[in-house]
Amino acid sequence: MNRLIRSTAALALALAATTGWAQAYPTKPIRVIVPFPAGGPVDQTARALGSRLGASLGQSIIIDNKGGAGGLLGADAVAKSPADGYTLLFSSAGALAIVPHIVPSMPYNPQKDLVAVTQALKVPAVLVVSANSKYKTFADLKAAATGDASKINYASAGSGTTPHLQAELLKREAKLNINHIPYRGAAPALTDLMGGQVDMMMVDIPVVLPFIQSGKLRALAVTNANRIPVLKDVPTVGELGLPKAEAYNWYGMLAPARTPPEIINKLYTSVGAALRSPELKQQFDQQGVEVVGSKPEEFGVFISTESARWGALAKAVGAKME
């Protein structure tokens, strides 16, 4: 009995110490790993969010770009980090819902080795062609891409990327005969698209919005459920009779598994407050993206659902990590 009492008391003290430590969090700078190179949309969002988050938490937020393998390297680094809230992941869908299905030997399991904090943004894609393209509308493109005689090519940032699979989803739903040309990143793909070497591309709106607004690219459709104010004249895939082609990229924050719930909740609350700040809200509205700020458990379920959806499509089209 005395041994049981001592064990119970020791456990209570340990829990109290853990709770107190979590309440004090954070006491030092927090590193947020972005599993993509600097300058891209995920990195830019992480830096904008990090500035607000640091002010809310009273600590510096250090953005650490660890790109490579479609986000795998950065996500793996977080999965193997101490579960103390001082190393976090800010990623798009690829590393969490697609890469696990196209890499033969994964070094981490997103469902077991990471825990969701919050989905920050929902990012629609837009179907674009060159401003000099003869395809003025989606109907024009579909007419040219239907039948065995089609020679339409579409570019992507690489096999197995979210835009690649979004284009394959559109291809399936619209019954298009189009050929995939994978590139090593969005920048060279867009260069060739604007130069007329490829015919079309599906891409996250923030990446190409400046080119659309400057007249270098023409937008034919967005994958959002509703029209997007910054592209108010561009029809949705639903309006084109393709509601099942609705699809999004998304950005969110995660932490190593076994991070104390008190820390996860504190991060969720702080990130949510930062996302709702007038300055960030205005910035995201101007980029055509939607603030989400979902609860940790909601984001966890969402990742599982997205993984099943994109994983099945990735396998069906034979997507491979390049």
Side-chain angles (χ1 to χ4, degrees):
M1 179 65 71
N2 289 337
R3 181 179 299 176
L4 176 61
I5 292 174
R6 287 196 298 272
S7 297
T8 303
L11 178 60
L13 287 172
L15 289 173
T18 301
T19 301
W21 172 69
Q23 288 175 343
Y25 169 87
T27 59
K28 62 181 181 179
I30 298 169
R31 181 171 65 137
V32 176
I33 290 181
V34 175
F36 305 103
V42 182
D43 173 68
Q44 292 175 1
T45 301
R47 293 180 186 277
L49 179 60
S51 177
R52 291 282 169 186
L53 183 60
S56 174
L57 292 173
Q59 290 291 340
S60 298
I61 304 296
I62 301 169
I63 304 299
D64 183 1
N65 297 95
K66 192 178 289 292
L72 182 151
L73 299 182
D76 184 46
V78 176
K80 291 179 169 57
S81 295
D84 56 8
Y86 291 101
T87 302
L88 306 173
L89 176 69
F90 192 82
S91 179
S92 58
L96 304 168
I98 299 174
V99 169
H101 300 282
I102 62 176
V103 173
S105 181
M106 280 288 292
Y108 66 95
N109 184 326
Q111 307 295 321
K112 296 180 180 179
D113 299 328
L114 296 167
V115 60
V117 175
T118 187
Q119 180 187 350
L121 300 176
K122 183 169 73 171
V123 186
V126 58
L127 174 64
V128 288
V129 297
S130 168
N132 297 320
S133 172
K134 61 184 177 181
Y135 309 120
K136 307 299 183 184
T137 66
F138 179 75
D140 294 338
L141 180 65
K142 183 177 180 180
T146 301
D148 295 336
S150 171
K151 296 182 180 179
I152 302 295
N153 293 323
Y154 78 91
S156 82
S159 178
T161 58
T162 306
H164 168 213
L165 296 185
Q166 288 171 329
E168 286 292 333
L169 182 63
L170 180 68
K171 173 182 178 178
R172 184 182 72 186
E173 296 302 318
K175 297 179 174 58
L176 304 178
N177 181 11
I178 54 178
N179 183 49
H180 179 213
I181 308 296
Y183 285 76
R184 293 188 178 276
L190 286 169
T191 297
D192 276 5
L193 177 65
M194 287 184 278
Q197 280 74 45
V198 288
D199 299 295
M200 55 175 274
M201 185 174 179
M202 189 78 84
V203 63
D204 290 356
I205 286 178
V207 176
V208 292
L209 186 60
F211 299 114
I212 296 171
Q213 293 173 331
S214 66
K216 294 180 179 180
L217 291 174
R218 179 183 301 126
L220 302 185
V222 294
T223 63
N224 205 40
N226 303 305
R227 290 211 180 192
I228 296 170
V230 292
L231 294 173
K232 58 184 176 61
D233 296 326
V234 181
T236 68
V237 287
E239 290 174 325
L240 297 172
L242 305 167
K244 292 184 179 179
E246 183 181 321
Y248 308 90
N249 200 346
W250 41 266
Y251 307 161
M253 182 170 285
L254 299 96
R258 296 176 296 281
T259 298
E262 296 87 350
I263 289 179
I264 296 297
N265 288 331
K266 189 166 187 176
L267 286 168
Y268 157 68
T269 300
S270 299
V271 172
L275 290 170
R276 290 187 294 272
S277 67
E279 294 83 1
L280 282 191
K281 181 66 168 57
Q282 181 181 28
Q283 175 182 323
F284 296 141
D285 286 345
Q286 292 173 346
Q287 293 175 338
V289 301
E290 179 182 334
V291 171
V292 180
S294 56
K295 294 180 180 179
E297 57 272 22
E298 293 172 341
F299 187 30
V301 171
F302 176 77
I303 293 173
S304 296
T305 302
E306 287 284 280
S307 180
R309 181 191 193 193
W310 293 122
L313 184 58
K315 291 178 181 178
V317 302
K320 297 178 180 179
M321 178 63 65
E322 298 175 339

